[in-house]
Structure formats: C-alpha cells, structure tokens
Amino acid sequence: MSRIEATNDFVVKFANVNGSGSASANELFARAILRMGVPVSPRNIFPSNIQGLPTWYEVRVCEAGWLGRRGGVDLMVAMNPQTWDQDVAEIEPGGYLFYDATKPMPPSAFRADIHVIGMPATAICNATYDVPRERTLFKNILVLGALSELMGIEAGVIEKLFAEQYKGKERLLDSNVRALHAGREFARDHLSVQPFGLAVKRADAVGDRIFIEGNAATALGCIYGGATVCAWYPITPSSSVAESFEKYAAKFRVDPATGEKRVAIVQAEDEIASIGVITGAGWNGARAFTCTSGPGVSLMTEFLGLAYFAEIPFVVIDVQRGGPSTGMPTRTQQADLLCSAYASHGDTQHVLLLPEDPRECFEFAAAALDLAERLQTPVFLMSDLDIGMNQRLCAPLEWDDERRYDRGKVMTAEMLDAGREFARYKDVDGDGIPWRTLPGTHAAKGAYFTRGTTRNEQAIYSERGDDYVRNVERLARKFATAALLAPQPLVRAAAQKTRVAVVYFGSTAPAMDEALAALADAGIHIDAMRLRAYPFAPSVAEFIAAHDAVFVVEQNRDAQMRRMLINELEVPPSQLIKVLHYDGTPITARFITDAITRHVHTLATAPRSAA
C-alpha cells in the first residue's frame, strides 16, 4: 500500500469532544511547529454548546507559506467515537489514522487504503492518574508526546511552551512535561516500527510574521484608532472583540497619574441598546463602536437608518457566521453583505470594509473610525469567524506615531465666531459631506436639532419634496465620495494576457492565493482583483469591463457580492460567474481550483494569449 510522505507540507486534523481539554494540547501542537520555523494555519471547528458535542482542530503545515485550507486530511487523530466514520472518511488515500486503541476496534472500522496507528491512551492514563479530570487532560498531552516523537517535533520546543503557559505554576509544568515524555517514550518503544511518512524539520520560513487572532487585532485597531466607547451584547463569534478591547484598554487607556480609565465599555442588555449607546456617543463626538454578528445586525437596523439619515458616525464590527436566524453560530460565512450594505428601510447604503487577515483587521478598524467621522456615517468592518476566532500568521501590525485622527468637517467655536455659515445639512464643496458641530461647541451658535425625519439644510423639520430630494441626493454624492476614500481594490495580473478574471474578498484570500498559483501551473491564467471595500471604486467597473468572464468567489449561497456588483455597477449578470462555498467551513484552494477549472473548460472565452 502506498503512503503519503511529506516534510513540512501536510494537514493534520484532531477529532475530539468539546470540553475535554483538547484545545490547549492541539494549539500546543500547532505552536510547536511554528516555533520550529514552519508556517502553520490552524482552524478550530467547535459546536455552539458548552461541552459534549464533537469538535475538530485542523492544522495546515506548509513551509511554502500557503495559509488557506487545502482540503483533505493526511493525518486524522480520531479521539471521538461519535464522529469516527466521518473522520476516517476524510483521510486521503495513503494517509494516516491515529486513534485511542484502549478498546479493540473491528476491522470494518478501518479503511484498506490508510495506515492505522493505535495507542491505548485511555488505558495508560487510567493506570497513571487517579483523578478523573487529570486522566482526561493528560491523555491529550500523552497523544501530543507520541505525535511529536513520530513527526520529529522537538521536545524542548514544547517544554518551552509549557514553561510560558505555566509560569509560576511549577506543579502543573512538571506534570505536563512528564505526560509529554511518557507519550514520546511509548511512541519510541511501540510505534516506531509502524510506517509513518509525515515529518517536521526545522526551517526558517516564518520570518517576522506574528501569530494572532483577527478579533484581537481588530480590538487593538480600535485602541490605536482612538475609540473611547464600546457598547456590545455578547454574541458568537464577535464577543472576543469587546473582551480584547477591554484587556488592551486596561493597558493603554489608563491615566498613569490618576489610574482613571479613559474609555467607556458597556455590556448592554441587547443589541438594540448597544447600538443606541454608540449612536449617542457618536453624535456627542466620541469615537464609538459595537461588535456583533448577523442576528445583531438584524436587530440594529432601525438605529442604523437613523444614524445614516441623521449623519452620525460610529463603527459596527460584524464578525460573520452562518445564517439566517440563529443559523450556524460557530461556523463561518460571508453572508451578511446585503443585510449590512443596505441595512434599514428606504434608500440606505452603508460603507463596508473587507479585511483579508488580522493585519488588515487592525488597519481597517482604525481606518473605519476615521472614515466614519470623515463621512459622518456608520461604517461596517466585515470580518468573519474564520479570521476572527483563529490564530493566523500575518505581517506585523504597524502604526505611524505621527498619524493624526481624521475628525472630518467639525466646525469650531473660533470658526463660528469668525462668521462661518453653519448649515448642518448643506453641501458646501460638492463631496456630499456637510459641516457638523459637537455639543457644547459654542454658547449661542452652531447648535442644531437632529432627528430621523426630513429637514432642510439648516436642520429645520420639513416635509417639502424639494428638501427631501436635495438631502437624499447629497447622501448619494457622499456615498460616491466614500468610494474614493475607502481602501482601494488590489489587482494581480496574470502571467499572460487573458480575458478571464476573478473577483474575491475577505477570508477567501488565502485559499485564492494558492488556487491562482495552482491554476497558473495548469496553464489557466486569470487576472485577479481583491475587493477591500464597498462602495466599489471606479477601478472595479473598469476591471470587470476589461474581461469577458469574471468569476466571483464568495462564501454564501445567494452570491451576495455578485448581486451587489450587478446592482451597483449594472454589470450584465451573464458576465459574472458564481463560485460559491457555504457549508460553514472555510473555503479551500482545491474547491476554488476545481470550480474554476470546470468553468474555464466550458467557456468560449477560455484564457488565451492576446494577438
């Protein structure tokens, strides 16, 4: 029987039970390989209950640096009988199954085309530990030890990670180290005779990149971007944005002289209250944000319409998950595009920023706070569970200490005293953005009353049709201005001229990068554009017009980005080809490559060299 043999290029998946303590050991496995200089891309797949249901942890090990899901599993560590059949089915032919052999398994439980490695982990722990909880926890470390021996992961690297994790808790440190070496010894004595072809070898392929979750990076971006108010209601997968913001604020937003906190963090009674808080804060001049997911956006739409029409700045961080309704709370999708872009009734449009990784989460969170004040409108940061709740390698986060916040058109008391005209909803320079004042700016000038109803340029209530038309047309001009101010799309030209292209965005980027390389190797050359914001920059329409067929890759059922491109740019629907992935798992390079290859082979406009 053939076997997979690979060094620093394979996929390992751990199948466990939620609440078993496996998460810590699984992360140690990924971090140990990373410490050996080999890039990893882990993904935690967990249920929405507290414990008892299946959970998986998938680790892509790739010295070449691909960070998206590849598809397929080379080594399955199957520790959950509930999911045995589906776990075994995922293994690539010639791959490996590592399992707890305490209880004998019938031959029918295995596949003839994979290699099986059994370790009686439960029996070893039962014989070694008296406390039931210790038996469960140290079984994971025992397995980690055995895998590290089989794969060549250095024990010293894991021991150093233990030392960092249990600093000041020597008893826990010593017991974990003993369990690790017990697993390594068992593998040396009993498993070394079995064929195993996956190996980790020291490399220098990580460079200066950092390992961070998108939600933590987003929170840090809000800190650096000047946010002073966070109001939120807990919802998976966005809660750790607010939790991280609170942690960072305790370090960076405390007056060193008085110990006074310089932020307001409110856990509201619901999503409606949370957005109400930031609406008031934004009107009052604070930089404010909330973090939520699709169900929260649904509840926030009335305040979003109010803020859009009254022109109040704040940021909504939408960490997307599977929908609709409660949907799949712990699975990822890009399915909130339409509900966020057009949230609220009437003619309403919101700015969306579309980060690809934690670094852009950091950059775009700060940029969103600037844009919200510059444009005087709500701005959405559209992350998702795959970016937000998984550790991801990315370039170091950078901040220019000379950077100053863009507060936009804010009229001061000095400007008012100098005789400047203040008309709250008047376009003075053609960009659609009026001047505003902050409460308390002047004792007698510059005050205005705002509401969600129609008004004239001086903020006086009006039901005149011409006042309404003037106002909403100005808002449309402001939205066009936003297309020039928001992060611009990035274009990657194919090695050969082609009339076929692909448009993608957000968390599809890592898999898309690898898919483009694989397609080029197969002779399929495609120009690529990564969207980074809505409204779409003028270059998006130009890019699409320059091609006969454009694939739109996204993670939702209804091709929401494709719909927006058709709706906003009036692109012929036949020109945009759907590539859709929406089962809740992150899209894979294999999925994209296969889908595009199938379509290209049927297109009359298949990639060809220009004459």
Side-chain angles (χ1 to χ4, degrees), residues 9 73 75 110 112 152 168 186 195 218 238 249 325 372 402 445 451 465 467:
D9 187 9
V73 175
L75 167 62
F110 305 107
F186 182 90
T218 299
S238 72
S325 188
E402 299 300 316
K445 301 176 181 179
R451 66 179 92 200
D467 283 334

Side-chain angles (χ1 to χ4, degrees), residues 405-432:
Y405 301 141
D406 186 349
R407 303 305 303 266
K409 296 178 180 177
V410 180
M411 198 166 285
T412 65
E414 292 75 17
M415 294 166 71
L416 292 166
D417 281 334
R420 289 284 295 272
E421 177 194 13
F422 176 68
R424 175 64 185 99
Y425 296 110
K426 182 177 181 179
D427 185 357
V428 296
D429 54 14
D431 66 0

Side-chain angles (χ1 to χ4, degrees), residues 147-162:
L147 292 175
S148 69
E149 176 67 25
L150 290 172
M151 304 176 79
I153 303 172
E154 298 168 12
V157 173
I158 303 175
E159 289 175 7
K160 186 174 181 181
L161 288 167
F162 279 145

Side-chain angles (χ1 to χ4, degrees), residues 7 11 22 53 68 70 72 88 108 122 129 131 149 197 208 225 272 386 424 450 453 471 576 601:
T7 300
V11 175
S22 60
L53 287 183
R70 186 200 69 186
V88 172
S108 60
T122 299
Y129 304 102
V131 180
E149 176 67 25
D208 66 349
I272 301 172
D386 185 33
R424 175 64 185 99
T450 193
T453 47
N471 199 56
L576 301 181
H601 287 163

Side-chain angles (χ1 to χ4, degrees), residues 271-293:
E271 287 89 350
I272 301 172
S274 67
I275 197 168
V277 169
I278 66 168
T279 301
W283 172 79
N284 203 47
R287 290 198 153 191
F289 76 93
T290 188
C291 51
T292 190
S293 194

Side-chain angles (χ1 to χ4, degrees), residues 209-238:
R209 286 181 291 179
I210 62 173
F211 203 46
I212 187 173
E213 287 184 353
N215 282 355
T218 299
L220 200 56
C222 291
I223 289 286
Y224 275 78
T228 57
V229 176
C230 167
W232 65 297
Y233 182 76
I235 182 172
T236 301
S238 72

